[in-house]
Structure formats: structure tokens, C-alpha cells
Amino acid sequence: MSDISPNRLNDALTRAPSLAALSGRRTEFAKAERVWSDVLEPELSRREESRKATIRAAITRSIIGAGIPIFIIILLMISTLVSVDIISPGLIFLVLVSGAIVSATAWVKVFTMKSQTKQLILSAACEPFGFTYDTLHPDLSGIVDLKTLASRAKELNAAYSGKMNSTVNTPLGAINMSSTNGPDAPTPAFEILKTVKLLPGHSRLKFEDLISGERAGTRFALVEAKLETGGKNSKTVFQGILVHVEYPERFLGRTVIARSGWWKRGRYSGDLKKVDLISRELEEAFTVYSTDQVEARALLSPDSMERLIALERHFSGGKLRGVFEDGHMTLALEAEDQFEAGSIFKTLVDPRRYASALVELGLVCDLIDGFLTRDWVQGRL
């Protein structure tokens, strides 16, 4: 997604352990050093010079584009002796528009390179777990000039019209390709959370970074979502991770969990009753409602809750909430962009890009394992 802090990306890589340190932590990490040296490092090294050249071209064209209206204004001032306010809003707007037009295709190439780098690194990180990864980005690799940019936009609009609202994030902003109905959700999590009122109202949505596979004998899918109000004063009302995990058996009731002080709809949700948790600390941190008190307490043991908190802490997220019902656990966590594999403005040949992705995937596995491998799960549900 587009609203990402470079500092947060840098911090994520700084915190990443070395591949050597990771290799002994879990069986999926055992070949991490070999994957880096044999697969990722050679390929990223091959792309590094292209990255530098692509970014240089984009910056140069931005400067040239922004300088064109200023140069024209200066010539007019010299030839007509008419004074013009250089910092006027109108001129600033012209500078921005000119810079965007001249550099548009160059920044699309930067975006494409960033997307391809994410796909390479996250796919490699998912492989030892048996997971699959998809950026969910449209293919913009064939865009070389304004003509092909316009042509490609028409193709995307024709392809997605009536099916989904394809929103493409570029350095020039978000390009909305279709209707306001929104894209087809890549996992059931979105509709489930919306139904139980755990997502805010919105008029636009987009998805990115889909990770799916099997773990602990069950299927799961994780995706990043961004919800916006739309209109002239559009604002982001949710940005974070949606997690959907299928259970081997159906739950006996419905249990809803949320960080205390945020969610208050539970008391108005039919036969849901407030659950008193075993731990006083967890009781103060979370609000839990359920139709089955016994099941809810068994499900949300201190160990399981700690795994939820660890997920929240690692992703620097907040307002964790979710629902356990029928045969699924579905969670939402507000957080800045995750699974970014580092900044495109930094060298690609950095093993911490790969290490950071492995750590994030390992944490997701820990969460699923904690809820699905306990004895009571097999015996009760």
C-alpha cells in the first residue's frame, strides 16, 4: 500500500536477525542461508544496477518536468517585464502537474520494480512453509511511455469493469480503475468482519499482499486491506491485516473479541454475553462477548491471548479484534503496511529483506499453531 513510512521500513529491517541466527529457530528456516546465497542474492544483485538507473531516471524526469513551467514563467517575466508571484498556488499546481506528467511512466517503472522485488522475496520466504504469495498488483511492466500508460489504463478498466474496483497505487497517487463497489475480497475475512460490525463503514477498499496455505492441518489466508470513506475529503478508516483461519470442526457458539475501550457493539448483539477471562490483566486489555461462556474461556486461554498480543506487538498494530464462529477464526489488526521486503530506495542486496519476511511469516504460524494444536481443540471442537 502507498501510505508507508520509510522510517518504519528501515526499523523493520534493522530489527531483523541475521539469517545465521534464524536458521536454528525453526525447521522452516534451516535452509535460509542457502536460499539467500544461491537464489536471492544473485538475482537481486542482477537487478541492483537497474534499480539505481530507474530511480535516477524518475528523479531526473521529475526535476525536468517541475522546471518546465518555472522556466517558461521566467522567460515571460524577462520578455514582458511583468512580475509573477513565483510561489503562487497556481504556479505550484502547474509545477506539480508538469512534474507528474513528464515523470509518470518513469515512476510506474519504479513501482513495478518494487512490486516485482516483493513478489520475489515474499515468494521465497513462503516456500519453506508451503504457502503462496501474491502482491495483488496489476501488471504494469509493459508501460514505456504516456501512450502505453493510457492504453494500459483502458485495458485495466475494461478487464475489471463490473467485476471489481481495481485501485493501483503509484507514486502519483491511487488510480481508481472502475466502480465504487470495491474489489472482490480475496478471503472470506472481509465479509465476516463486516457482518459482525468489526470493520468501519467505507465506500472504497483495496487489498494487497495475499498469503495463503495450510498450517496445523487447516487452511488459512492473510491479506492487507485499506478502507476509505471516499469523496472530496476522503480519509482512511482502516488499514491493516485480515486473517482467516479455518478450524477442523465447527464452534458451538459465537465469540467476539476486541481491545478494551474500542468496541462497544457486543452488548447490543443479540444473545452475546460478556465473558470474564481467567487473567485479570487480559480482562482489562480485552473485551470478550460470547454465546458460549465455557467455550470462550477455553478458546481464549492466557497462552492463546499472548500469541494475539505478540502478533499485535510485532506489527506495531492496535485495535485487534476478531470473531470465532462456525468453523473459522477471523481477525483484524490495524497496522501500517507489512510484508514490504524493504524500501526500493535502498540497496536490494540486503539479506535482512529476506530475514524480515521469514520472521513475519513465522509469527503468523505461531499464532495459528497456538490456537489449533492444543489438546482441547481436538477433544472439544
Side-chain angles (χ1 to χ4, degrees):
M1 298 196 178
S2 57
D3 304 333
I4 186 162
S5 165
N7 289 333
R8 196 202 66 76
L9 277 178
N10 293 335
D11 289 344
L13 291 190
T14 300
R15 294 195 307 267
S18 68
L19 292 176
L22 272 182
S23 61
R25 289 189 182 181
R26 55 193 314 152
T27 57
E28 294 90 350
F29 297 164
K31 298 181 180 179
E33 290 182 281
R34 182 180 300 175
V35 171
W36 172 258
S37 61
D38 294 353
V39 180
L40 291 177
E41 186 175 24
E43 178 59 25
L44 292 172
S45 296
R46 186 185 67 80
R47 299 184 185 190
E48 179 61 14
E49 287 305 314
S50 178
R51 179 195 71 86
K52 293 177 181 178
T54 302
I55 291 176
R56 279 197 303 268
I59 293 174
T60 300
R61 291 179 66 172
S62 296
I63 294 172
I64 293 173
I68 289 174
I70 296 177
F71 179 70
I72 293 174
I73 291 296
I74 291 175
L75 286 180
L76 289 174
M77 290 171 63
I78 294 174
S79 61
T80 63
L81 300 180
V82 174
S83 177
V84 177
D85 186 359
I86 297 296
I87 59 173
S88 66
L91 181 57
I92 293 175
F93 177 75
L94 285 175
V95 168
L96 294 176
V97 170
S98 177
I101 292 174
V102 172
S103 64
T105 56
W107 284 111
V108 166
K109 291 179 181 179
V110 174
F111 170 81
T112 299
M113 179 168 287
K114 178 179 183 295
S115 179
Q116 292 172 342
T117 300
K118 282 180 61 175
Q119 185 70 48
L120 173 68
I121 294 175
L122 267 297
S123 293
C126 283
E127 187 173 356
F129 294 96
F131 304 158
T132 60
Y133 170 78
D134 190 341
T135 63
L136 299 182
H137 294 163
D139 181 13
L140 304 179
S141 58
I143 295 174
V144 295
D145 52 31
L146 289 176
K147 182 178 180 180
T148 54
L149 175 59
S151 174
R152 185 66 180 135
K154 290 179 181 178
E155 291 175 13
L156 288 170
N157 185 61
Y160 295 121
S161 179
K163 297 180 181 178
M164 58 187 290
N165 178 14
S166 178
T167 303
V168 180
N169 293 317
T170 77
L172 305 178
I175 302 175
N176 198 320
M177 293 297 183
S178 187
S179 68
T180 59
N181 293 328
D184 296 331
T187 84
F190 173 73
E191 291 297 334
I192 290 171
L193 292 165
K194 187 172 68 171
T195 299
V196 295
K197 310 298 184 185
L198 291 177
L199 291 177
H202 59 278
S203 59
R204 294 193 304 189
L205 66 155
K206 46 195 170 185
F207 299 105
E208 184 180 49
D209 297 331
L210 175 64
I211 298 171
S212 58
E214 291 191 5
R215 183 73 185 179
T218 190
R219 294 185 300 174
F220 85 97
L222 175 153
V223 71
E224 287 193 65
K226 186 173 184 179
L227 314 181
E228 299 173 317
T229 56
K232 184 181 296 185
N233 298 316
S234 176
K235 67 177 181 178
T236 300
V237 292
F238 176 88
Q239 179 171 338
I241 302 169
L242 309 181
V243 183
H244 182 78
V245 181
E246 296 183 0
Y247 269 71
E249 302 289 343
R250 295 172 65 87
F251 289 108
L252 302 177
R254 169 191 284 186
T255 298
V256 179
I257 178 175
R259 272 292 187 178
S260 296
W262 174 76
W263 185 70
K264 302 182 185 301
R265 295 184 180 89
R267 66 186 67 177
Y268 307 114
S269 300
D271 55 354
L272 288 175
K273 304 297 181 184
K274 192 173 187 306
V275 178
D276 295 324
L277 298 176
I278 298 173
S279 166
R280 182 175 179 180
E281 182 180 354
L282 293 174
E283 176 79 25
E284 294 175 351
F286 289 93
T287 298
V288 180
Y289 284 83
S290 181
T291 59
D292 189 316
Q293 298 280 313
V294 175
E295 181 179 71
R297 290 192 188 93
L299 175 67
L300 300 173
S301 66
D303 177 67
S304 298
M305 298 290 279
E306 282 299 326
R307 292 177 187 270
L308 291 174
I309 294 172
L311 184 77
E312 189 180 56
R313 185 185 302 117
H314 177 84
F315 290 119
S316 301
K319 298 182 180 178
L320 175 71
R321 61 266 206 183
V323 57
F324 301 79
E325 187 179 23
D326 295 330
H328 66 83
M329 171 179 72
T330 304
L331 305 172
L333 173 63
E334 294 192 13
E336 292 187 40
D337 284 3
Q338 307 298 327
F339 307 105
E340 287 302 304
S343 171
I344 193 63
F345 297 99
K346 300 288 185 179
T347 177
L348 299 180
V349 192
D350 186 342
R352 293 176 299 178
R353 291 178 181 268
Y354 181 46
S356 177
L358 288 171
V359 168
E360 291 177 333
L361 289 170
L363 194 65
V364 172
C365 289
D366 288 342
L367 173 71
I368 298 172
D369 293 347
F371 276 93
L372 279 167
T373 59
R374 297 179 63 83
D375 292 340
W376 69 266
V377 173
Q378 302 300 328
R380 175 173 171 76
L381 301 183

